[in-house]
Amino acid sequence: MTPPPGPRPDPLTALDDAACGLAQTGSEGTLIWANRTFCNWVGYELDELVSGRRLQDLFTMGGRIFHQTHWQPLLQMQGSVSEVKLEIVRKDGTTVPMVMNAIRREHYGQWVHEIAVFVARDRDKYERELVRSRRELEDAVTEAKRLQAEAKDRALFAEQMVGIVSHDLRNPLSTIQMGATILSRGEVTPNQLNVLGRVTRATDRANRLIADLLDFTQARVGKGLSVTRKPVPLHELVSDNVDELVLAFPDRQLRHVQEGEGDCLADPDRLAQMIGNLVANAMAYGRTDTPVTVTSRIDADSFCLSVHNFGTAISPELRPRLFLPMSRGEEAGAQRSVGLGLYIVSEIAKAHGGEMSVESTAEAGTTFWARFPRV
């Protein structure tokens, strides 16, 4: 390739004004030569540098230690070092980060070190920001783990307390219930009998709440609800439970619809508990002038339980939280609980390998579905 016409640049001038600092030292680091760029960066004149000053004299204390323990041994063993980042102390006492490459070669019978230097302020700033960001991230992770551990401890303590309180409440409730039963067998007036009936119903509700609390504790602290599956005549089981619930809600309409036939593999007590919770939920949030319908359906490979009521539709925002513990509906009902009913229902379905779902519109009403494998 033919060079362009005109005067050619002086090679020495080109080296002097190169875009990087260039220097040459003896084998012990004594400076022999440096280009103008290097001199400008360190703030020294050339004659100040080559008057017996060593390259390592320009380093910070940490750089001098690195020069002695790594720089010199590496140059002697492998003949070069590359991309070494060190702080250079300028004549005015300020420091500037620099990246250095060095080659060891023989020159007129003597070993010299030829060095190329690049200012690395941007790289240094980036590395410092990276270190700072990493430290902040590590601190954030540590704090998140601490908060998570605290939350877990608080949740475990609360659940254990729920279990303890539930067990301790059963004894006095049993005493109250037994006393009410004994008194009702004697000679009592109609008003007294009415009061005893209220006491009995109140203790029944309290016992159901305790059962829910115990199940909640087992599901959260333990390995989930326990079930004992066995062949169950589904329609007969649901029908019996609906008849009992009719007595619990004498002022409301409760229907049972049957579809399909055959037995199903399930825990009858847990299914009864599920039906009771779903019906109680429907009675609390459904319109009082409309029926609540319980449907038991048996298919070839699965069976379903559903409870339907008419009333205000469940908002889409609330639906993802319905089966979480301590969640309640938006409408006030005659009877309110601590919000464990639907959570227990969901856990019963999971224990059977099934799942819960809900459909709710203002026109069609609200239906809670529990779907199970049949065997």
Side-chain angles (χ1 to χ4, degrees):
M1 180 176 179
T2 305
R8 298 183 182 181
D10 181 3
L12 294 179
T13 302
L15 287 176
D16 240 358
D17 297 325
C20 64
L22 300 172
Q24 190 178 66
T25 73
S27 59
E28 299 300 322
T30 303
L31 284 159
I32 301 172
W33 172 82
N35 71 347
R36 191 162 30 237
T37 302
F38 182 82
C39 293
N40 291 337
W41 283 350
V42 298
Y44 288 97
E45 297 294 333
L46 179 60
D47 56 357
E48 293 179 288
L49 293 175
V50 298
S51 60
R53 191 180 299 273
R54 300 177 306 171
L55 177 66
Q56 56 265 39
D57 294 337
L58 302 177
F59 297 163
T60 60
M61 181 57 67
R64 294 176 190 177
I65 295 173
F66 180 85
H67 183 275
Q68 182 177 357
T69 58
H70 292 78
W71 180 290
Q72 283 288 86
L74 283 173
L75 277 176
Q76 291 177 3
M77 287 189 296
Q78 64 186 29
S80 66
V81 293
S82 60
E83 297 187 7
V84 175
K85 181 172 170 289
L86 295 170
E87 294 280 338
I88 296 290
V89 181
R90 303 177 76 250
K91 185 178 181 179
D92 61 6
T94 60
T95 61
V96 57
M98 291 189 177
V99 174
M100 300 184 175
N101 296 328
I103 297 177
R104 180 174 181 261
R105 65 179 59 184
E106 191 175 2
H107 186 68
Y108 293 108
Q110 295 184 344
W111 290 103
V112 296
H113 300 163
E114 295 181 350
I115 303 159
V117 182
F118 303 86
V119 173
R121 286 193 181 94
D122 289 341
R123 172 175 167 176
D124 184 68
K125 182 180 179 181
Y126 169 76
E127 289 176 349
R128 291 179 186 274
E129 287 293 324
L130 194 63
V131 170
R132 183 183 62 80
S133 298
R134 181 175 180 178
R135 187 180 300 113
E136 289 178 354
L137 179 60
E138 290 174 348
D139 291 343
V141 170
T142 301
E143 179 66 10
K145 289 182 178 179
R146 184 186 68 80
L147 293 175
Q148 185 179 26
E150 287 184 358
K152 185 177 180 180
D153 289 342
R154 286 196 297 269
L156 182 60
F157 174 75
E159 290 163 3
Q160 289 173 337
M161 286 300 296
V162 166
I164 293 171
V165 171
S166 300
H167 280 292
D168 290 344
L169 281 174
R170 276 189 161 173
N171 290 333
L173 283 173
S174 298
T175 302
I176 294 171
Q177 196 167 29
M178 184 180 298
T181 301
I182 293 173
L183 288 174
S184 65
R185 293 172 181 172
E187 295 183 2
V188 293
T189 66
N191 287 336
Q192 291 172 333
L193 189 61
N194 184 40
V195 171
L196 290 173
R198 292 181 181 179
V199 171
T200 301
R201 288 192 295 272
T203 53
D204 286 341
R205 289 196 300 272
N207 278 319
R208 286 197 298 271
L209 174 59
I210 290 173
D212 283 347
L213 289 172
L214 290 173
D215 285 338
F216 169 73
T217 304
Q218 181 181 355
R220 298 284 291 213
V221 180
K223 298 180 180 179
L225 296 185
S226 59
V227 295
T228 303
R229 301 175 70 189
K230 61 183 180 181
V232 173
L234 182 67
H235 298 322
E236 181 181 337
L237 171 71
V238 175
S239 181
D240 290 343
N241 279 273
V242 168
D243 289 342
E244 293 178 7
L245 291 167
V246 166
L247 299 177
F249 301 98
D251 299 328
R252 300 290 297 275
Q253 300 178 60
L254 184 58
R255 301 173 178 174
H256 177 210
V257 176
Q258 305 178 18
E259 299 177 7
E261 58 184 17
D263 289 349
C264 302
L265 200 63
D267 187 321
D269 294 331
R270 289 299 188 185
L271 291 188
Q273 183 182 6
M274 170 181 281
I275 295 167
N277 283 351
L278 289 175
V279 169
N281 185 76
M283 293 296 183
Y285 296 104
R287 288 200 341 240
T288 58
D289 59 341
T290 59
V292 171
T293 303
V294 179
T295 301
S296 53
R297 189 180 77 197
I298 302 173
D299 298 321
D301 299 321
S302 63
F303 69 95
C304 302
L305 292 175
S306 69
V307 176
H308 171 270
N309 66 271
F310 289 100
T312 304
I314 302 171
S315 65
E317 295 77 14
L318 181 63
R319 291 176 199 177
R321 306 194 306 272
L322 278 177
F323 299 106
L324 297 178
M326 311 303 177
S327 295
R328 297 186 180 93
E330 298 169 315
E331 299 295 324
Q335 290 220 333
R336 302 306 303 269
S337 70
V338 294
L340 294 178
L342 292 180
Y343 172 74
I344 299 300
V345 163
S346 177
E347 290 299 311
I348 292 173
K350 290 179 183 177
H352 283 82
E355 60 180 1
M356 292 296 305
S357 62
V358 60
E359 300 171 358
S360 184
T361 65
E363 297 77 15
T366 298
T367 303
F368 282 90
W369 290 92
R371 295 177 173 86
F372 308 88
R374 188 169 175 181
V375 294

